[in-house]
Amino acid sequence: MSFNTSSRQLSKTDEAPEDVPSQEVTPLDAPAPRDTVQTSEAETPEVSAPEAKAPEKEAPEAKAPEAEAPEAKAPEAEAPEAKAPEAPEAEAPEATTDPEAEAPEAKDPEPEAPEAEASQTETSQTEASETGTPETEGPEAEAPDADAPEGEVEAPEQAAAAPDPAVSDADTPTAPRPRRWRRVWGGWREKYPVAARVLAWTTTAVALAVVVVALLMPTQADKVRIAAFVRLPVEAIFGAALLIVLPRKPRIAVAAFAGLGLGALTVVNFLDIGFNEYLGRGFNVVLDWSLFSDAQGYLQDTFGKGGALGIAALAVTLVIAVLALTTLSVIRLGNLAARHTETATRTTLVLAIAWVTCAALGVQYAAGIPIASEHTMQALQFKAEQVQRTLQDEAEFAKIAKKDNFANTPPDQLLTGLRGKDMMITFIESYGRSAIEDPVMAPGVDATLTAENKKLTDAGFAAKSGWLTSATYGGSSWLGHSTFMSGLWISNQQRYRTVTAGERLTLPGAFKKTGAWDTVGVMPGVQKAWPEQNFYGIDKLYDSHKLGYKGPKFSWSTMPDQYALTAFERLVHSKKHDKPLMSTIILTSSHQPWAPIPELVPQDQVGDGSIYNAIEKAGKKPADIITDSTKSKQEYGKSIQYSVSSLINYLVKYGNKNTVLIFLGDHQPIARVSGNHASRDVPVSIVAKDPKVLDKIAAWNWTDGLQPKQDTPVWKMNAFRDRFLTAYGSTPAP
């Protein structure tokens, strides 16, 4: 682009000698000086202010040299009236003309072309007005003082500021513009300084609270109290010391990483609280991920598909929010410490001294709540050890599972004391010790057990009862089932997968091995393929799809217990058999959330289950009780009464002299119902008409009747299989 001439004419002067470079603007119609060659923009050196990086075309207004230094004089003559007309007033300090053009040096070997300079100045003004380039301020872009001594030459500065002729306007970098949100925030902060300060303080306080809560959060709901959060976390002290000394970029990276880690630990802490509340143990980071699909199914059965999806979406949102909040909080506190290094250093040192003092003296708010906290470090250490134990346990359990005292016992030496008996092993969901001993639930359950025991006695049956300690708590019923029937302690999902993949002899499998029994399973809770059928030794399985039920679901339970037992009688027990039956039955009506609960109906009206439609609609909704501990206890107790009554009514009506029933709970109910730190004990009973059956277990010292006493012996659940096989004539053969 070559310089354009302007129609605007500058005043003409005759006083300046021709051999002296004039600082006045030459009229456009005047001939160019001898040493000046008019060139295109690409050939003419730029005229720019020293250290200014914005190109001249961005300057909204550039003044001629005379306008910047009106008092400057030519070496030999003055021309005060030979000034260029003033351009419209606008400040653009960085776009002023080069000091070389303004300096009063009389012997410049290569004088600048005045008319080119004026033309370029006006062109810059025109382009700036068209593009509307905003001002950028910079003190170093100001023109030098026009009152400088006439003979003074600032060669070094002028040489440094001289533009490179090879660089065009297009190549000159522009000053970066502030981001829009920064301009908006800066303007708002200047307009409302008090509100801005309050907001900054509040944000910092929230960030500090988030970090402290995350570092001190307990893993059990009953330990969440104010005293737990008013402590000195040693992790925060070490973290602050590290962030203070780090440079900016490493500090932000470390703060972000620490914030994400703290957020992840917070999520795990919430999982620990939930697992302790429902399953009586913390979350296992190796094994428990598979339980989320079961939890989703439970939520769907309790709240419907829409409610379950909403809860899942809320959970995911909360996880993301926790991770983001902890990360941003740590970064903010790290930046604050860096801006106020001296204050942050002193504060960190004081807190460190206080922590060491409290730790050395063992100062506590209350029992178990020390002021000097190492909670996060202890939690991380525990989780690391848990992972290590889990991995080691997998290998060790695989060896234990291969050892079986009855693995090689010949069929004719198994269960000789029960030949000819119709056997029933029945699990009642969540039937735990708390149902018999808790002051809220016990009155109703104990009255039911007493009444049902009288029914048994009147029908010629007798019972003995004891306690077993379940391998699970609050849920994961399959762990209790497999522990009871395999004789192994199946306390986690990895152990369950290991044992069910092997050939361990189970109780149903032992009956099947003899060849003297047909084995069947009635499992209304099984709603999909169940490969464990072969492991347990069950010949024929009746799941929820094969029992012919046409009625409604009762929350998680697919059908009432009374219907499941009636269907078992219709489809299996009433049929003619060449062999006695060994039946494994799992009753589900006492599964949480215990609303709605079925009601007993006349046996001849059970039919296909349609009668339960009205009962289900009239029952309570899960939302009515799920958040209330007392109501949950009351409804749980009622569900146990219903399940026990359904089972005993069936036995009295359809049992005979050869019927032997073993029934027990698979685990305690959730902690919100059974109580914090409740035992894992469940009641177990053996019922029979033949007195010889109960005589064989007289040495067990169990209580007569359906209700075990408090001092009745307690066994681990995995001990039952070997004791039972031995009592009824099985010969050990490892």
Side-chain angles (χ1 to χ4, degrees):
M1 180 184 73
S2 60
F3 290 104
N4 297 324
T5 57
S6 174
S7 59
R8 186 179 184 181
Q9 301 297 320
L10 303 180
S11 56
K12 188 175 181 179
T13 177
D14 296 326
E15 299 185 14
E18 292 184 0
D19 58 340
V20 179
S22 175
Q23 297 188 27
E24 300 164 359
V25 178
T26 305
L28 295 179
D29 55 350
R34 285 179 304 174
D35 296 337
T36 303
V37 180
Q38 296 183 359
T39 61
S40 64
E41 182 179 349
E43 298 172 342
T44 305
E46 277 183 40
V47 181
S48 59
E51 300 182 19
K53 297 183 179 180
E56 289 185 352
K57 65 178 182 179
E58 293 187 4
E61 180 176 316
K63 299 179 181 180
E66 292 78 8
E68 292 291 317
E71 297 180 7
K73 299 180 181 180
E76 298 181 3
E78 295 184 358
E81 63 278 336
K83 298 181 180 179
E86 293 187 1
E89 185 174 345
E91 296 182 6
E94 71 277 13
T96 55
T97 54
D98 193 280
E100 293 182 5
E102 300 177 18
E105 184 177 352
K107 297 181 179 180
D108 189 344
E110 295 182 11
E112 302 276 345
E115 62 270 32
E117 179 179 306
S119 176
Q120 184 176 0
T121 301
E122 290 190 3
T123 303
S124 299
Q125 294 174 3
T126 304
E127 291 178 359
S129 63
E130 291 176 355
T131 57
T133 305
E135 297 179 6
T136 55
E137 297 179 0
E140 60 271 65
E142 295 178 359
D145 190 357
D147 294 331
E150 293 182 1
E152 186 174 340
V153 179
E154 299 179 0
E157 293 184 8
Q158 293 173 6
D164 186 355
V167 180
S168 65
D169 290 346
D171 295 331
T172 306
T174 58
R177 295 180 60 187
R179 292 182 179 178
R180 181 178 179 82
W181 69 269
R182 289 184 180 274
R183 297 200 305 272
V184 173
W185 166 246
W188 183 86
R189 186 171 53 185
E190 292 178 1
K191 189 174 182 180
Y192 304 101
V194 176
R197 285 196 298 270
V198 171
L199 179 60
W201 294 339
T202 302
T203 304
T204 301
V206 170
L208 182 62
V210 167
V211 172
V212 171
V213 169
L215 289 172
L216 299 175
M217 178 181 291
T219 58
Q220 297 181 19
D222 60 317
K223 294 183 179 180
V224 178
R225 40 187 165 169
I226 295 178
F229 299 101
V230 189
R231 297 190 290 167
L232 294 176
V234 68
E235 303 83 7
I237 297 173
F238 276 110
L242 177 62
L243 294 178
I244 288 172
V245 301
L246 287 176
R248 182 178 180 276
K249 289 185 178 180
R251 182 184 71 247
I252 293 176
V254 170
F257 180 79
L260 283 173
L262 189 59
L265 181 63
T266 303
V267 172
V268 172
N269 284 341
F270 277 120
L271 291 173
D272 279 335
I273 292 175
F275 271 65
N276 280 311
E277 184 76 5
Y278 282 85
L279 302 180
R281 61 175 178 82
F283 176 72
N284 189 309
V285 296
V286 177
L287 302 176
D288 287 339
W289 299 104
S290 61
L291 298 181
F292 287 104
S293 60
D294 297 301
Q296 179 69 9
Y298 166 70
L299 291 174
Q300 185 169 330
D301 293 329
T302 304
F303 300 104
K305 188 174 182 179
L309 289 175
I311 294 174
L314 178 61
V316 172
T317 302
L318 288 176
V319 168
I320 295 174
V322 168
L323 294 174
L325 192 58
T326 53
T327 302
L328 294 174
S329 296
V330 176
I331 291 175
R332 179 175 182 83
L333 295 177
N335 290 339
L336 184 66
R339 288 197 302 269
H340 306 281
T341 304
E342 185 176 350
T343 302
T345 302
R346 291 177 180 175
T347 303
T348 302
L349 182 59
V350 170
L351 292 177
I353 294 173
W355 190 94
V356 171
T357 303
C358 292
L361 299 178
V363 182
Q364 297 183 350
Y365 283 116
I369 307 180
I371 293 179
S373 168
E374 299 175 88
H375 176 74
T376 299
M377 295 177 62
Q378 292 173 348
L380 290 174
Q381 181 180 0
F382 175 80
K383 291 299 181 184
E385 293 174 352
Q386 183 186 59
V387 171
Q388 185 177 8
R389 288 194 305 268
T390 300
L391 298 177
Q392 292 176 349
D393 178 75
E394 181 178 352
E396 293 174 0
F397 181 74
K399 298 177 182 179
I400 296 173
K402 293 178 180 179
K403 299 178 181 180
D404 189 345
N405 292 333
F406 295 91
N408 298 315
T409 301
D412 59 350
Q413 296 180 23
L414 281 171
L415 299 165
T416 57
L418 291 172
R419 299 299 171 102
K421 303 297 184 183
D422 274 334
M423 296 297 303
M424 295 175 60
I425 297 179
T426 303
F427 291 92
I428 295 179
E429 173 68 33
S430 302
Y431 180 28
R433 186 165 188 158
S434 297
I436 296 176
E437 296 181 350
D438 185 91
V440 175
M441 302 173 288
V445 174
D446 291 348
T448 297
L449 292 174
T450 300
E452 298 305 324
N453 191 68
K454 186 176 185 306
K455 286 182 185 179
L456 290 174
T457 303
D458 293 344
F461 288 91
K464 283 186 176 293
S465 301
W467 301 109
L468 299 176
T469 301
S470 177
T472 185
Y473 180 102
S476 302
S477 301
W478 57 92
L479 302 181
H481 303 161
S482 57
T483 296
F484 179 79
M485 292 196 283
S486 72
L488 293 171
W489 189 253
I490 316 298
S491 57
N492 59 56
Q493 191 64 19
Q494 182 58 47
R495 287 191 167 205
Y496 180 78
R497 287 194 292 263
T498 300
V499 71
T500 55
E503 297 180 354
R504 178 82 178 185
L505 185 68
T506 65
L507 285 177
F511 283 94
K512 178 181 179 179
K513 185 177 179 179
T514 65
W517 280 271
D518 289 332
T519 58
V520 298
V522 178
M523 302 184 179
V526 174
Q527 304 178 52
K528 54 186 178 181
W530 193 58
E532 291 90 337
Q533 176 183 348
N534 293 330
F535 164 73
Y536 283 114
I538 295 175
D539 293 323
K540 182 127 180 113
L541 176 68
Y542 294 86
D543 60 14
S544 61
H545 305 293
K546 297 179 180 179
L547 292 172
Y549 182 64
K550 303 298 182 183
K553 290 181 68 175
F554 283 77
S555 188
W556 184 89
S557 180
T558 58
M559 63 191 70
D561 292 346
Q562 184 184 13
Y563 178 86
L565 292 165
T566 302
F568 166 67
E569 178 63 26
R570 182 181 74 249
L571 298 172
V572 183
H573 189 257
S574 63
K575 305 294 184 181
K576 186 177 180 179
H577 298 278
D578 297 332
K579 303 175 183 179
L581 290 174
M582 165 62 237
S583 306
T584 303
I585 303 172
I586 300 178
L587 302 179
T588 61
S589 289
S590 51
H591 193 287
Q592 62 178 323
W594 309 296
I597 300 173
E599 297 176 2
L600 291 170
V601 299
Q603 193 66 37
D604 58 355
Q605 297 181 20
V606 172
D608 63 359
S610 299
I611 190 174
Y612 294 106
N613 283 308
I615 296 174
E616 190 272 338
K617 291 180 180 178
K620 295 181 179 179
K621 304 301 179 186
D624 297 337
I625 70 165
I626 198 169
T627 57
D628 190 304
S629 178
T630 301
K631 289 182 179 179
S632 294
K633 286 185 176 185
Q634 293 170 345
E635 298 305 309
Y636 162 74
K638 292 177 183 178
S639 72
I640 296 297
Q641 296 174 52
Y642 169 79
S643 294
V644 171
S645 296
S646 296
L647 180 59
I648 300 304
N649 287 348
Y650 171 83
L651 183 63
V652 169
K653 185 174 180 62
Y654 298 108
N656 55 50
K657 64 179 182 179
N658 289 322
T659 302
V660 177
L661 168 67
I662 304 171
F663 79 95
L664 69 156
D666 47 18
H667 55 73
Q668 281 266 53
I670 60 176
R672 186 162 43 85
V673 171
S674 61
N676 294 319
H677 312 298
S679 73
R680 293 176 175 242
D681 297 345
V682 298
V684 56
S685 301
I686 298 180
V687 184
K689 272 191 176 182
D690 186 350
K692 295 179 182 179
V693 173
L694 298 182
D695 289 344
K696 292 183 181 296
I697 62 170
W700 291 1
N701 296 320
W702 282 14
T703 304
D704 291 335
L706 296 178
Q707 185 175 350
K709 295 180 180 179
Q710 287 187 347
D711 59 352
T712 300
V714 180
W715 306 342
K716 292 186 71 174
M717 187 178 280
N718 62 311
F720 182 86
R721 190 205 70 158
D722 286 8
R723 288 175 181 256
F724 180 82
L725 292 176
T726 302
Y728 290 102
S730 303
T731 303

